[in-house]
């Protein structure tokens, strides 16, 4: 059955491999993917270890519904203790690897220890081998995948790989699969690098069996029709996530020049419509009808020629607005470069934008940058700094350790200018006009993070009766209000935890579209696929369990309420630009703290953000770690 | 004809087919418009 | 008039829903390796080509089949294997120049598209319409219009002042 795929424990130090079935209890409590990964993280990673030591453990988990032909259900979750935040490390990646891992017979891989030599893990039809990776080491993320395919003589192999940045232990190195899909955040590529693990490759021809295959197939079609009928999905399937730029840059919700402005003036070249100049068509992940990325070719100009996919909205900020670059071609080229190196686009852009502001303020100078003129929009310096970060050379080596270390090293009040939470960079979104988003990045378990809870539907000014029905309590329809926003975040956290655990794409649930599949649809999909029955409230409780366990992991590592904060600038500097609704906005400190109190209370956590005994008992978490798997 | 949601006052308003620009009748904010599909308008940027 | 399976690779987004849905419909399990259709990918060039039986007018598979197990269904136009006759020699797999027939990795049987009795599940699931099941005249018109569009662009360039 589909829930009965195996978990494999792979010790890279001893080369011992153990295979076990995933017990049904685990499915009932955590579903799969991120949920089971978080259970494993809490149970297998000892407190206070160095994330780069062999004691850290890498978890790779496919979603419970991975493989079904709808809603992008091929996603894979990668987890470990984060070298960026020191807390929960977790990144969810699309593409085709997650589904292929299942066809190869496994849902979860637990990678411990450290290999003496560089290696890759080869998974095929129930078998696992640790193989020599000497010929792969030093290759970029695309070359590595191509070489693995050539070595095995099979073009349909899917691999999760690191680039040179991961080899060089850049803290925010990512894991990548295909041309574009990245497990970008929290430095999972760095953890792979620290284990001398270059790649995990999978190929499988094993059946995934379902409880009700015929009904499931029909319902998958219904789900695809449901998502593609939303305005959001239709627009996204045309221009990808770039379409967000039209709204945010028009309104004034987009970080520009690090955090000095909230929209890019004369930024027309970055508008999504311009991708048509380079696009040869769109591409979808496994089981996805939204196909939100472009396949693009840059034929002319200083960076040509090359082929790549994307760019995500994230890259428009990372190498566009935040560093004051106004040319799409430059963004495409920088996106291509970080992809090859295996760097998180968001963290890289966030750090470079910060460095540019420090340079402008005179906090760092030519001596420190090694002569790099970090002026706004200096493309040459931008590309050079990306190289330096990946290669750990010159000033890039300072940034390669992430915000925490770089702030400590540079000093001189540089921390004030860093737009980060828990050591992880924020997206190029400006949350000052949107208290709900601000609460989300302050409380997210993996640092400043828009993918743990962002209630994008808050932006639509929906009727309050509708919001009450959706969120199960009063929520203001005004996105600049603080009222009810803690409830919104709480609800979205649980939804996204479940979405990541069943292996479905967040864009195919209530992220940007209200009338997208959610609890009841997930419940029916799970039942038709696995035969297991979960009510809406049971699924919500699973979401709560996963999120609370993540919280417990962070608390065990020493995080407190003090870490659920925003950068000081959110309270002090009002937004200078934008439409009347977004201009002159900053976060009210007092209202923010009240919102945080409400948020803890909804979770059943104390004023200090610690889950109460009662809450833990209710979720069955009071005895963790229980070491069931 | 297609509807878009004004990014300033959040009220929906109608846009003429193939229009390249539109103004929100409620708050008078002016936008450039583009069309992901022939029947669906979206705001492209400020006019 | 008979319908044909019309493939437009330019529209394919490579999502592999067709493969999955095909295996679920025919084998009642999810396993793209057992599907009758596959997307051949050149990932680093962004090229995705659906590969499936083209149901030829003069099927080579029918010609080479030593036991005459391959016949056309006049209603749907599908070239179909009669598994009661098939001995599993795989000559059809060997000779088809379009890789229209494959081998089931689990059972060793030959896998070939049967157009799902006239309602191909892959077509039903293909959102970008890279796969369509249409009347031959309609297929011609679609090809014609696409070619004419290119021609019209060229004319406009020539006529531009």
């Amino acid at each position: 059955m589909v829930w009965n795929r195996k978990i494999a424990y792979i010790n890279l130090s001893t080369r011992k491999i153990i295979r076990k079935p995933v017990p049904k209890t685990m499915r009932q409590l955590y579903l799969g993917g991120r949920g089971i990964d978080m259970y494993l993280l809490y149970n297998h990673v000892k407190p206070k270890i160095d994330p780069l030591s062999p004691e850290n453990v890498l978890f790779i988990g496919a979603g419970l519904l991975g493989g079904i032909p709808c809603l992008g259900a091929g996603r894979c979750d990668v987890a470990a203790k984060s070298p960026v935040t020191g807390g929960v490390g977790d990144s969810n990646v699309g593409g085709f690897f997650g589904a292929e891992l299942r066809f190869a017979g496994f849902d979860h891989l637990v990678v411990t220890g450290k290999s003496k030599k560089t290696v890759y893990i080869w998974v095929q039809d129930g078998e696992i081998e640790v193989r020599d990776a000497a010929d792969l080491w030093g290759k970029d993320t695309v070359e590595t995948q191509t070489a693995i395919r050539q070595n095995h003589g099979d073009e349909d192999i899917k691999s999760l790989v690191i680039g040179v940045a991961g080899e060089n232990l850049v803290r925010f190195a990512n894991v990548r699969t295909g041309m574009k899909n990245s497990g970008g955040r929290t430095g999972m590529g760095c953890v792979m690098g620290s284990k001398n693990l270059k790649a995990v490759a999978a190929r499988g021809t094993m059946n995934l069996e379902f409880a009700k295959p015929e009904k499931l197939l029909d319902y998958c079609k219904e789900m695809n029709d449901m998502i593609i009928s939303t305005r959001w999905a239709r627009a996204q399937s045309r221009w990808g996530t770039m379409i967000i730029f039209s709204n945010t840059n028009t309104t004034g919700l987009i970080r520009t020049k690090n955090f000095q402005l909230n929209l890019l003036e004369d930024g027309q070249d970055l508008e999504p419509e311009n991708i048509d100049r380079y696009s040869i068509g769109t591409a979808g992940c496994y089981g996805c009808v939204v196909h939100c990325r472009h396949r693009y070719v840059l034929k002319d100009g200083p960076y040509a020629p090359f082929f790549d996919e994307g760019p995500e909205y994230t890259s428009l900020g990372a190498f566009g607005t935040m560093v004051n670059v106004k040319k799409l071609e430059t963004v495409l080229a920088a996106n291509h470069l970080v992809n090859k190196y295996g760097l998180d686009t968001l963290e890289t852009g966030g750090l470079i934008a910060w460095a540019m502001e420090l340079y402008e303020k005179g906090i760092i100078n030519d001596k420190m940058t090694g002569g790099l003129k970090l002026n706004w929009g200096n493309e040459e310096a931008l590309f050079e700094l990306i190289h330096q970060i990946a290669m750990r050379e010159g000033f890039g080596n300072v940034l390669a350790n992430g915000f925490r270390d770089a702030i400590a090293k540079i000093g001189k009040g540089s921390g004030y200018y860093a737009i980060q939470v828990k050591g992880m960079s924020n997206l190029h979104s400006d949350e000052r006009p949107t208290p709900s988003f601000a609460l989300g990045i302050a409380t997210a378990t993996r640092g400043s993070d828009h993918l743990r809870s962002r209630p994008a539907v808050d932006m639509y000014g929906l009727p309050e009766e509708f919001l009450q029905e959706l969120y199960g309590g009063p929520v203001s329809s005004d996105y600049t209000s603080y009222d009810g926003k803690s409830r919104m975040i709480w609800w979205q956290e649980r939804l996204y935890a479940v979405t990541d655990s069943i292996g479905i794409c967040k864009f195919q649930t209530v992220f940007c579209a209200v009338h997208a599949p959610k609890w009841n649809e997930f419940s029916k999909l799970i039942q038709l696929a696995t035969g297991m029955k979960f009510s809406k409230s049971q699924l919500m409780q699973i979401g709560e369990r996963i999120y609370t366990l993540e919280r417990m992991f962070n608390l065990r590592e020493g995080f407190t309420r003090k870490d659920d904060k925003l950068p000081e600038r959110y309270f002090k500097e009002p937004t200078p630009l934008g439409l009347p609704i977004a201009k002159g906005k900053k976060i009210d400190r007092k209202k923010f703290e009240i919102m945080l109190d409400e948020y803890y209370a909804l979770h059943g956590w104390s004023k200090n953000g610690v889950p109460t005994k009662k809450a833990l008992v209710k979720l069955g978490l009071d005895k963790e770690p229980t070491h069931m798997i | 004809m297609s509807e878009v949601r004004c990014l300033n006052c959040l009220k929906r308003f109608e846009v003429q087919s193939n229009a390249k620009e539109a103004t929100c009748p409620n708050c008078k904010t002016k936008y450039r418009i583009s069309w992901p599909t022939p029947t669906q308008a979206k705001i492209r940027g400020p006019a | 008039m008979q319908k044909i399976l019309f493939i437009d690779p330019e529209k394919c987004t490579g999502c592999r829903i067709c493969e999955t849905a095909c295996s679920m419909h025919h084998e009642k399990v999810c396993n793209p390796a057992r599907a009758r259709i596959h997307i051949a990918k050149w990932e680093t060039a962004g090229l995705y080509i659906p590969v499936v039986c083209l149901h030829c007018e003069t099927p080579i598979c029918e010609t080479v089949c030593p036991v005459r197990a391959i016949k056309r269904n006049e209603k749907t136009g599908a070239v179909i294997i009669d598994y009661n006759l098939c001995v599993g020699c795989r000559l059809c797999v060997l000779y088809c120049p379009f890789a229209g027939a494959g081998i089931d990795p689990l059972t060793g049987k030959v896998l070939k598209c049967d157009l799902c009795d006239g309602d191909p599940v892959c077509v039903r699931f293909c959102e970008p319409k890279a796969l369509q099941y249409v009347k031959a005249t309609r297929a011609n018109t679609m090809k014609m219009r696409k070619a004419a569009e290119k021609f019209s662009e060229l004319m406009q360039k020539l006529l531009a002042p």
Side-chain angles (χ1 to χ4, degrees), chain A residues 60-304:
Chain A
I60 297 170
L64 177 60
L65 296 180
I68 64 170
C70 71
L71 307 181
R75 297 189 69 89
C76 184
D77 198 87
V78 186
K81 177 172 174 175
S82 168
V84 177
T85 69
V88 168
D90 172 63
S91 206
N92 201 275
V93 56
F96 297 83
F97 178 80
E100 199 66 37
L101 185 64
R102 300 201 97 189
F103 299 136
F106 293 91
D107 268 6
H108 288 271
L109 304 180
V110 178
V111 185
T112 57
K114 178 183 178 173
S115 173
K116 277 201 187 112
K117 288 194 294 186
T118 57
V119 291
Y120 74 101
I121 294 170
W122 168 236
V123 188
Q124 187 181 28
D125 290 335
E127 299 298 327
I128 295 178
E129 267 180 73
V130 178
R131 293 183 150 224
D132 187 79
D135 64 328
L136 302 177
W137 209 254
K139 285 192 161 44
D140 74 34
T141 57
V142 177
E143 290 165 352
T144 305
Q145 296 179 64
T146 304
I148 292 172
R149 286 175 177 154
Q150 282 169 352
N151 288 352
H152 291 270
D154 187 343
E155 283 296 313
D156 288 330
I157 291 170
K158 306 294 175 192
S159 310
L160 200 62
V161 306
I162 60 168
V164 171
E167 295 175 9
N168 291 337
L169 306 181
V170 175
R171 294 252 165 179
F172 44 92
N174 62 13
V175 294
R176 305 196 72 248
T177 180
M179 288 303 293
K180 132 91 182 51
N181 296 101
S182 308
R185 317 249 34 216
T186 68
M188 295 301 95
C190 178
V191 175
M192 272 178 74
S194 77
K195 298 189 173 301
N196 277 329
L197 177 62
K198 179 69 174 173
V200 181
R203 178 77 171 105
T205 59
M206 291 166 78
N207 288 337
L208 271 175
E209 289 160 16
F210 302 113
K212 299 261 190 297
E214 279 143 332
K215 281 187 182 161
L216 177 63
L217 187 60
D218 286 342
Y219 196 58
C220 285
K221 178 73 173 83
E222 218 177 290
M223 290 297 94
N224 286 339
D225 291 346
M226 185 173 180
I227 190 64
I228 207 66
S229 71
T230 65
R231 291 169 64 89
W232 157 260
R234 281 198 306 263
Q236 200 189 9
S237 65
R238 179 71 181 83
W239 286 310
T241 55
M242 286 176 83
I243 59 161
I244 305 169
F245 183 87
S246 313
N247 288 2
T248 52
N249 201 51
T250 306
T251 311
L253 299 167
I254 193 162
R255 288 212 272 143
T256 303
K257 287 189 171 184
N258 193 29
F259 194 68
Q260 296 182 4
L261 302 173
N262 55 319
L263 63 83
L264 182 69
E265 282 173 308
D266 309 319
Q268 286 88 335
D269 199 49
L270 301 190
E271 285 169 2
E273 290 79 358
N274 295 327
I275 193 65
D276 291 349
R277 296 199 299 245
Y278 314 99
S279 178
I280 58 167
T282 54
C285 291
Y286 185 98
C288 173
V289 295
V290 179
H291 47 84
C292 74
R293 64 179 186 269
H294 278 264
R295 287 169 273 156
Y296 68 85
V297 179
L298 209 65
K299 285 186 189 143
D300 313 301
Y303 311 114

